[in-house]
Amino acid sequence: MNHRSLFRRLLLAAAAALPFALSVGDAAAQAALPSDRVLRVVPHADLRTLDPVAVSVTITRMHGLMIYETLFAWDSQLRPQPQMVESTTTSSDGLTWRFTLREGLRFHDGQPVTTRDVIASLRRWMARDVVGNHLGARVTALEATDARSFEMRLSRPHGFVTYALGSAVGQIPAIMRAEDAETDPSRPITTTIGSGPFRFNRDLWLSGQRVVYDRNPDYVPRREPADGLAGGRVVRVDRVEWQIMPDAATAAAALQTGEIDIWEQPALDLVPVLSRRRDIQVDRLNTISTQAMLRPNSLFPPFNDPRARLALAYATDQAEAMAGGWGDERWWRRCEAYFVCGAPFGTEAGAEGYARPNLDRARELLREAGYNGERIVFITSTDIAPIGRMAEVAAASLRRIGMNIDLQVNDWGTVITRQPRRDPPDQGGWNLFVTFASGPTMQHPLTNIGTNMACDGRNWSGWPCDEEAERLRNAVLDAPEGPERIRLLDALHRRLAETQPYRVLGQVDQPYARRSSVRGMLNAPVMVFWNIEKSAR
């Protein structure tokens, strides 16, 4: 479809978008707020899980950063800066860390944030998250000194303590009330009482249509300027509404008519039309590309055998997957680096042989792994269009090497609730899924959730186990910056290329679109909504 025809289609869709946009709001509540005090956003997915420590999906992380805070926060250069913490001291041997919380921290129910809440929250996070697991394995004690100060003691030094405590990837170390954090970490909490700059408006929440956040009038931001996730989280609107619009034409029309202010992930085929409008700006959210991946379940045959996982690399063509998912090559590139091409750890060592498919080698590896045509449950969703399209391309590739693919298409909420299940594939579990993860998540050996191959079963859904890969990953994290770290990084990447915890499908630069009346967007690992100002229409 040419751009002129596409533009006409969007104009026609605008009429359909208007009733939808108006129906999703609470009319009385909206009427009480001036238009420039309500920020309306179309996010990439609906919010299904409210607990940012229970799941690692991006939409829940975005929700978590609205209502919770962390002890530290990453700035726009991914450097950790104090957030809830006022001061930090470290012993000369690097084994004892002392933290003091800043004054004025209060939960949305009025309770003060204390070190009891912090310690319970950190323990819950360390039991759930990849980064938390790694730090927690070295923590010998977490003890409160008083209501605002606590001590962390380590068994051996860790070079990324504050980086980990400010993690904005995977399951974030959100500080919750102790009564919430002390519950079973394997069960997602449903309460939403944080201490962050927004409050979750449960009364206006309507699953599948809208999620609403109100400015927290009692929140006291830091004094530093906002920088990434760090600095002062100053809220400049009274309400943020996430309006769920799965149809791209509807979202594009709503953006053009001003019914929404921000579209987090516009469809790439609509970007040229949006870019030509003076009242709309299209830009990148951050400077590190997003990574696409095909994740196998390593608990069950055939992918419990690394040879079957390696067959995925030989069977799939990154160009096919990325063109299917993202279209125009301006927005994507081939890349075999687990830690993201163009990023500081972006080596492709050992993966050179997977740049083009080798179907015969893939079939041979499947035979060696004992695969004999058993059904492969491949779960996916078309709610996030590129994921659904990449899954279809990957499924076709795997059928070419003789795999019996059962492509099961559900809504994205169902997919992400199935991902953590360890049931056999024929009992509600799964064998494969396609997803993508932010560059800031995947660019570092500490935070890349997919390359954690620890054999304790606490790593990310898929649960690959390889002791040598874990030994090398820990060695990279322990090594000082310099030639030895580079050598160890290459060795780690070669091992990952052999064992394939997931198949890298390439990387993409996903733009966002906003009305020109919106200012103050921050360069951050995920989209956040403090610091944003909106002019009246």
PDB file of all heavy atoms in Angstrom, residues 480-500:
ATOM      1  N   PRO A 480      38.346  -7.184  36.443  1.00  0.00           N
ATOM      2  CA  PRO A 480      38.463  -5.724  36.298  1.00  0.00           C
ATOM      3  C   PRO A 480      38.402  -5.340  34.822  1.00  0.00           C
ATOM      4  O   PRO A 480      38.681  -6.153  33.937  1.00  0.00           O
ATOM      5  CB  PRO A 480      39.843  -5.429  36.892  1.00  0.00           C
ATOM      6  CG  PRO A 480      40.604  -6.702  36.735  1.00  0.00           C
ATOM      7  CD  PRO A 480      39.604  -7.810  36.880  1.00  0.00           C
ATOM      8  N   GLU A 481      38.046  -4.099  34.569  1.00  0.00           N
ATOM      9  CA  GLU A 481      37.975  -3.625  33.194  1.00  0.00           C
ATOM     10  C   GLU A 481      39.361  -3.712  32.547  1.00  0.00           C
ATOM     11  O   GLU A 481      40.358  -3.324  33.140  1.00  0.00           O
ATOM     12  CB  GLU A 481      37.473  -2.182  33.175  1.00  0.00           C
ATOM     13  CG  GLU A 481      37.226  -1.634  31.783  1.00  0.00           C
ATOM     14  CD  GLU A 481      36.576  -0.267  31.807  1.00  0.00           C
ATOM     15  OE1 GLU A 481      36.277   0.232  32.913  1.00  0.00           O
ATOM     16  OE2 GLU A 481      36.386   0.305  30.720  1.00  0.00           O
ATOM     17  N   GLY A 482      39.416  -4.266  31.316  1.00  0.00           N
ATOM     18  CA  GLY A 482      40.689  -4.388  30.641  1.00  0.00           C
ATOM     19  C   GLY A 482      40.760  -5.635  29.787  1.00  0.00           C
ATOM     20  O   GLY A 482      39.742  -6.298  29.524  1.00  0.00           O
ATOM     21  N   PRO A 483      41.967  -5.997  29.335  1.00  0.00           N
ATOM     22  CA  PRO A 483      42.133  -7.121  28.401  1.00  0.00           C
ATOM     23  C   PRO A 483      41.608  -8.448  28.929  1.00  0.00           C
ATOM     24  O   PRO A 483      41.063  -9.244  28.156  1.00  0.00           O
ATOM     25  CB  PRO A 483      43.657  -7.172  28.176  1.00  0.00           C
ATOM     26  CG  PRO A 483      44.131  -5.792  28.485  1.00  0.00           C
ATOM     27  CD  PRO A 483      43.236  -5.286  29.573  1.00  0.00           C
ATOM     28  N   GLU A 484      41.784  -8.713  30.235  1.00  0.00           N
ATOM     29  CA  GLU A 484      41.328  -9.995  30.775  1.00  0.00           C
ATOM     30  C   GLU A 484      39.809 -10.100  30.706  1.00  0.00           C
ATOM     31  O   GLU A 484      39.260 -11.158  30.388  1.00  0.00           O
ATOM     32  CB  GLU A 484      41.803 -10.167  32.220  1.00  0.00           C
ATOM     33  CG  GLU A 484      41.359 -11.452  32.900  1.00  0.00           C
ATOM     34  CD  GLU A 484      41.880 -12.725  32.235  1.00  0.00           C
ATOM     35  OE1 GLU A 484      42.719 -12.639  31.317  1.00  0.00           O
ATOM     36  OE2 GLU A 484      41.434 -13.816  32.641  1.00  0.00           O
ATOM     37  N   ARG A 485      39.115  -9.021  30.989  1.00  0.00           N
ATOM     38  CA  ARG A 485      37.654  -9.051  30.877  1.00  0.00           C
ATOM     39  C   ARG A 485      37.237  -9.309  29.429  1.00  0.00           C
ATOM     40  O   ARG A 485      36.303 -10.073  29.168  1.00  0.00           O
ATOM     41  CB  ARG A 485      37.042  -7.749  31.380  1.00  0.00           C
ATOM     42  CG  ARG A 485      35.522  -7.726  31.252  1.00  0.00           C
ATOM     43  CD  ARG A 485      34.936  -6.365  31.613  1.00  0.00           C
ATOM     44  NE  ARG A 485      34.893  -6.175  33.058  1.00  0.00           N
ATOM     45  CZ  ARG A 485      34.468  -5.053  33.630  1.00  0.00           C
ATOM     46  NH1 ARG A 485      34.083  -4.019  32.857  1.00  0.00           N
ATOM     47  NH2 ARG A 485      34.439  -4.931  34.937  1.00  0.00           N
ATOM     48  N   ILE A 486      37.929  -8.689  28.473  1.00  0.00           N
ATOM     49  CA  ILE A 486      37.599  -8.892  27.056  1.00  0.00           C
ATOM     50  C   ILE A 486      37.810 -10.346  26.663  1.00  0.00           C
ATOM     51  O   ILE A 486      36.998 -10.953  25.955  1.00  0.00           O
ATOM     52  CB  ILE A 486      38.449  -7.955  26.175  1.00  0.00           C
ATOM     53  CG1 ILE A 486      38.048  -6.497  26.439  1.00  0.00           C
ATOM     54  CG2 ILE A 486      38.276  -8.299  24.696  1.00  0.00           C
ATOM     55  CD1 ILE A 486      38.937  -5.486  25.760  1.00  0.00           C
ATOM     56  N   ARG A 487      38.935 -10.934  27.135  1.00  0.00           N
ATOM     57  CA  ARG A 487      39.207 -12.340  26.824  1.00  0.00           C
ATOM     58  C   ARG A 487      38.124 -13.243  27.387  1.00  0.00           C
ATOM     59  O   ARG A 487      37.617 -14.147  26.707  1.00  0.00           O
ATOM     60  CB  ARG A 487      40.572 -12.743  27.399  1.00  0.00           C
ATOM     61  CG  ARG A 487      40.999 -14.161  27.027  1.00  0.00           C
ATOM     62  CD  ARG A 487      42.210 -14.609  27.813  1.00  0.00           C
ATOM     63  NE  ARG A 487      41.897 -14.817  29.234  1.00  0.00           N
ATOM     64  CZ  ARG A 487      41.284 -15.904  29.712  1.00  0.00           C
ATOM     65  NH1 ARG A 487      40.908 -16.871  28.884  1.00  0.00           N
ATOM     66  NH2 ARG A 487      41.059 -16.031  31.002  1.00  0.00           N
ATOM     67  N   LEU A 488      37.739 -12.994  28.629  1.00  0.00           N
ATOM     68  CA  LEU A 488      36.702 -13.807  29.260  1.00  0.00           C
ATOM     69  C   LEU A 488      35.350 -13.603  28.590  1.00  0.00           C
ATOM     70  O   LEU A 488      34.563 -14.551  28.456  1.00  0.00           O
ATOM     71  CB  LEU A 488      36.620 -13.462  30.744  1.00  0.00           C
ATOM     72  CG  LEU A 488      37.785 -13.934  31.611  1.00  0.00           C
ATOM     73  CD1 LEU A 488      37.755 -13.265  32.974  1.00  0.00           C
ATOM     74  CD2 LEU A 488      37.749 -15.458  31.767  1.00  0.00           C
ATOM     75  N   LEU A 489      35.071 -12.383  28.152  1.00  0.00           N
ATOM     76  CA  LEU A 489      33.814 -12.113  27.465  1.00  0.00           C
ATOM     77  C   LEU A 489      33.724 -12.923  26.177  1.00  0.00           C
ATOM     78  O   LEU A 489      32.678 -13.515  25.869  1.00  0.00           O
ATOM     79  CB  LEU A 489      33.695 -10.620  27.175  1.00  0.00           C
ATOM     80  CG  LEU A 489      32.447 -10.185  26.408  1.00  0.00           C
ATOM     81  CD1 LEU A 489      31.195 -10.392  27.241  1.00  0.00           C
ATOM     82  CD2 LEU A 489      32.565  -8.729  25.975  1.00  0.00           C
ATOM     83  N   ASP A 490      34.812 -12.958  25.403  1.00  0.00           N
ATOM     84  CA  ASP A 490      34.809 -13.743  24.170  1.00  0.00           C
ATOM     85  C   ASP A 490      34.600 -15.226  24.472  1.00  0.00           C
ATOM     86  O   ASP A 490      33.867 -15.930  23.759  1.00  0.00           O
ATOM     87  CB  ASP A 490      36.118 -13.551  23.408  1.00  0.00           C
ATOM     88  CG  ASP A 490      36.134 -12.256  22.611  1.00  0.00           C
ATOM     89  OD1 ASP A 490      35.083 -11.588  22.534  1.00  0.00           O
ATOM     90  OD2 ASP A 490      37.205 -11.911  22.073  1.00  0.00           O
ATOM     91  N   ALA A 491      35.255 -15.718  25.527  1.00  0.00           N
ATOM     92  CA  ALA A 491      35.086 -17.116  25.904  1.00  0.00           C
ATOM     93  C   ALA A 491      33.643 -17.405  26.312  1.00  0.00           C
ATOM     94  O   ALA A 491      33.073 -18.448  25.955  1.00  0.00           O
ATOM     95  CB  ALA A 491      36.046 -17.469  27.046  1.00  0.00           C
ATOM     96  N   LEU A 492      33.057 -16.490  27.065  1.00  0.00           N
ATOM     97  CA  LEU A 492      31.646 -16.651  27.455  1.00  0.00           C
ATOM     98  C   LEU A 492      30.760 -16.688  26.224  1.00  0.00           C
ATOM     99  O   LEU A 492      29.877 -17.554  26.101  1.00  0.00           O
ATOM    100  CB  LEU A 492      31.233 -15.499  28.377  1.00  0.00           C
ATOM    101  CG  LEU A 492      29.726 -15.351  28.634  1.00  0.00           C
ATOM    102  CD1 LEU A 492      29.167 -16.587  29.336  1.00  0.00           C
ATOM    103  CD2 LEU A 492      29.443 -14.085  29.447  1.00  0.00           C
ATOM    104  N   HIS A 493      30.976 -15.773  25.292  1.00  0.00           N
ATOM    105  CA  HIS A 493      30.097 -15.720  24.130  1.00  0.00           C
ATOM    106  C   HIS A 493      30.235 -16.966  23.266  1.00  0.00           C
ATOM    107  O   HIS A 493      29.241 -17.458  22.697  1.00  0.00           O
ATOM    108  CB  HIS A 493      30.372 -14.459  23.303  1.00  0.00           C
ATOM    109  CG  HIS A 493      29.228 -14.092  22.420  1.00  0.00           C
ATOM    110  ND1 HIS A 493      29.071 -14.610  21.155  1.00  0.00           N
ATOM    111  CD2 HIS A 493      28.160 -13.276  22.628  1.00  0.00           C
ATOM    112  CE1 HIS A 493      27.963 -14.129  20.615  1.00  0.00           C
ATOM    113  NE2 HIS A 493      27.397 -13.317  21.486  1.00  0.00           N
ATOM    114  N   ARG A 494      31.460 -17.492  23.155  1.00  0.00           N
ATOM    115  CA  ARG A 494      31.644 -18.737  22.402  1.00  0.00           C
ATOM    116  C   ARG A 494      30.860 -19.879  23.043  1.00  0.00           C
ATOM    117  O   ARG A 494      30.252 -20.702  22.343  1.00  0.00           O
ATOM    118  CB  ARG A 494      33.125 -19.089  22.302  1.00  0.00           C
ATOM    119  CG  ARG A 494      33.917 -18.141  21.423  1.00  0.00           C
ATOM    120  CD  ARG A 494      35.390 -18.517  21.333  1.00  0.00           C
ATOM    121  NE  ARG A 494      36.137 -17.508  20.617  1.00  0.00           N
ATOM    122  CZ  ARG A 494      36.170 -17.401  19.290  1.00  0.00           C
ATOM    123  NH1 ARG A 494      35.509 -18.296  18.553  1.00  0.00           N
ATOM    124  NH2 ARG A 494      36.857 -16.446  18.705  1.00  0.00           N
ATOM    125  N   ARG A 495      30.849 -19.925  24.365  1.00  0.00           N
ATOM    126  CA  ARG A 495      30.101 -20.980  25.056  1.00  0.00           C
ATOM    127  C   ARG A 495      28.598 -20.795  24.847  1.00  0.00           C
ATOM    128  O   ARG A 495      27.859 -21.771  24.634  1.00  0.00           O
ATOM    129  CB  ARG A 495      30.426 -20.962  26.551  1.00  0.00           C
ATOM    130  CG  ARG A 495      29.766 -22.089  27.341  1.00  0.00           C
ATOM    131  CD  ARG A 495      30.295 -23.447  26.899  1.00  0.00           C
ATOM    132  NE  ARG A 495      29.664 -24.532  27.653  1.00  0.00           N
ATOM    133  CZ  ARG A 495      29.941 -25.819  27.479  1.00  0.00           C
ATOM    134  NH1 ARG A 495      30.859 -26.176  26.589  1.00  0.00           N
ATOM    135  NH2 ARG A 495      29.333 -26.734  28.196  1.00  0.00           N
ATOM    136  N   LEU A 496      28.128 -19.557  24.900  1.00  0.00           N
ATOM    137  CA  LEU A 496      26.708 -19.301  24.663  1.00  0.00           C
ATOM    138  C   LEU A 496      26.328 -19.682  23.237  1.00  0.00           C
ATOM    139  O   LEU A 496      25.244 -20.237  23.003  1.00  0.00           O
ATOM    140  CB  LEU A 496      26.395 -17.824  24.918  1.00  0.00           C
ATOM    141  CG  LEU A 496      26.542 -17.339  26.363  1.00  0.00           C
ATOM    142  CD1 LEU A 496      26.367 -15.826  26.430  1.00  0.00           C
ATOM    143  CD2 LEU A 496      25.547 -18.031  27.290  1.00  0.00           C
ATOM    144  N   ALA A 497      27.206 -19.400  22.282  1.00  0.00           N
ATOM    145  CA  ALA A 497      26.921 -19.757  20.897  1.00  0.00           C
ATOM    146  C   ALA A 497      26.821 -21.267  20.716  1.00  0.00           C
ATOM    147  O   ALA A 497      26.062 -21.753  19.873  1.00  0.00           O
ATOM    148  CB  ALA A 497      28.006 -19.189  19.976  1.00  0.00           C
ATOM    149  N   GLU A 498      27.556 -22.030  21.516  1.00  0.00           N
ATOM    150  CA  GLU A 498      27.495 -23.491  21.453  1.00  0.00           C
ATOM    151  C   GLU A 498      26.241 -24.046  22.115  1.00  0.00           C
ATOM    152  O   GLU A 498      25.654 -25.021  21.646  1.00  0.00           O
ATOM    153  CB  GLU A 498      28.719 -24.103  22.153  1.00  0.00           C
ATOM    154  CG  GLU A 498      30.045 -23.849  21.468  1.00  0.00           C
ATOM    155  CD  GLU A 498      31.214 -24.303  22.333  1.00  0.00           C
ATOM    156  OE1 GLU A 498      30.961 -24.814  23.444  1.00  0.00           O
ATOM    157  OE2 GLU A 498      32.368 -24.143  21.905  1.00  0.00           O
ATOM    158  N   THR A 499      25.835 -23.438  23.223  1.00  0.00           N
ATOM    159  CA  THR A 499      24.744 -23.997  24.030  1.00  0.00           C
ATOM    160  C   THR A 499      23.394 -23.350  23.748  1.00  0.00           C
ATOM    161  O   THR A 499      22.361 -23.899  24.139  1.00  0.00           O
ATOM    162  CB  THR A 499      25.068 -23.855  25.524  1.00  0.00           C
ATOM    163  OG1 THR A 499      25.326 -22.475  25.823  1.00  0.00           O
ATOM    164  CG2 THR A 499      26.303 -24.675  25.895  1.00  0.00           C
ATOM    165  N   GLN A 500      23.382 -22.164  23.103  1.00  0.00           N
ATOM    166  CA  GLN A 500      22.165 -21.514  22.622  1.00  0.00           C
ATOM    167  C   GLN A 500      21.042 -21.455  23.673  1.00  0.00           C
ATOM    168  O   GLN A 500      19.999 -22.098  23.533  1.00  0.00           O
ATOM    169  CB  GLN A 500      21.645 -22.228  21.370  1.00  0.00           C
ATOM    170  CG  GLN A 500      22.519 -22.032  20.142  1.00  0.00           C
ATOM    171  CD  GLN A 500      22.402 -20.632  19.540  1.00  0.00           C
ATOM    172  OE1 GLN A 500      21.315 -20.109  19.386  1.00  0.00           O
ATOM    173  NE2 GLN A 500      23.539 -20.049  19.194  1.00  0.00           N
TER     174      GLN A 500
END
